[in-house]
Amino acid sequence: MRTFSLQLALLVRSVATPIVQLLAPPRCGICECEGALLCAACRAEWLPDRAVALPVGNLSASAALGPYEGGLGAAIRTMKYGGVQGLARELGVALLPAITQATQRAPYQVTLVPIPTDPDRVHARGFDHAALLARAAGEAARLSVRSLLTRVRATDPLHGASRSARAEIMHGAMQCADEVDPPSAVVLIDDIQTSGATAREAARALRVAGVRWIAVVSVAYER
Ligand SMILES: [Zn+2]
């Protein structure tokens, strides 16, 4: 009986928690004040009108809203680890200045392509943050969005790995899912750029499929 009531309590809690979250007023993903997923003060402080141009490596352009610190870092962590999907939409729309910056010299019409997350991590979180960012960014920028890339094997987490180890972990990890009629120009979308190993692998797979101009845009970059 005791076990049964414990199970019942757990069941009630598992059902009730999402409902409570649904009914609770939204909280700012940065300062946690009530009212909106990103409050006006945090937007003004952390979501810039102008993006930062980043070193491009072997890509054509690279831009982000700012470093993975302070409010931008908090918003990304709340989205990913706090499971706040609505924040992906807010941050995706906020990518507009970075997309404008990165596509200034694009020679062709651009398509946004999310960098695919490791399927195990998507499964654990229940959503693919890069796909949600890209969808919202595409609506805001009026650009088409295609999920062209897939992960062909699991990869160890890059966090803590050296630059050369990251390149090795990522090499050959992605492929272009649909090589029929590839776009000429792609802007890859992700939450954070670190060493660039993930974007380089995504670009490699896209080039194999025939994409000619590739840039990357992210919410934040790691210094
Ligand atoms: Zn706030």
Side-chain angles (χ1 to χ4, degrees), residues 87-127:
L87 267 179
R89 179 163 184 83
E90 302 284 342
L91 293 173
V93 172
L95 284 177
L96 194 53
I99 291 170
T100 305
Q101 158 97 36
T103 55
Q104 273 171 359
R105 293 188 182 84
Y108 315 103
Q109 176 68 28
V110 161
T111 297
L112 305 185
V113 174
I115 291 187
T117 311
D118 188 274
D120 287 347
R121 288 192 271 284
V122 173
H123 186 75
R125 276 182 210 138
F127 64 99

Side-chain angles (χ1 to χ4, degrees), residues 62-74:
S62 176
L65 298 180
Y68 180 55
E69 292 160 12
L72 270 186

Side-chain angles (χ1 to χ4, degrees), residues 28 30-33 38-39 42:
C28 175
I30 296 173
C31 72
E32 298 185 5
C33 75
L38 283 174
C39 75
C42 287

